[in-house]
Amino acid sequence: MQHLEERIAHLTRTVDELSDIVARQHDEIDRLARRVEMLMRREAERVAEGGGGVILGDERPPHY
């Protein structure tokens, strides 16, 4: 019986630790999703303004 109680205590601790890890990952995923959204908006604005064209292999950059 004591062996089962020890096993349950260990499993409970493991579940609590995994729950904390999942919560931290959730927060990080939310933060990264907001950052990606911000970057997507910024890129859409840049494209809408007509800036930042693609330089092809034989084209000189605008500072030449």
Side-chain angles (χ1 to χ4, degrees), residues 5-20:
E5 290 174 351
E6 290 173 0
R7 183 106 170 118
I8 290 171
H10 173 71
L11 292 173
T12 301
R13 185 172 56 247
T14 302
V15 167
D16 289 342
E17 290 171 357
L18 290 174
S19 179
D20 291 343

Side-chain angles (χ1 to χ4, degrees), residues 25-51:
Q25 289 177 339
H26 175 74
D27 292 343
E28 185 173 1
I29 288 170
D30 283 347
R31 183 181 57 82
L32 292 171
R34 286 190 305 270
R35 182 176 253 176
V36 167
E37 180 63 31
M38 184 259 318
L39 291 172
M40 294 293 288
R41 275 195 306 266
R42 186 183 296 173
E43 179 64 11
E45 290 170 3
R46 187 185 65 80
V47 168
E49 293 171 356

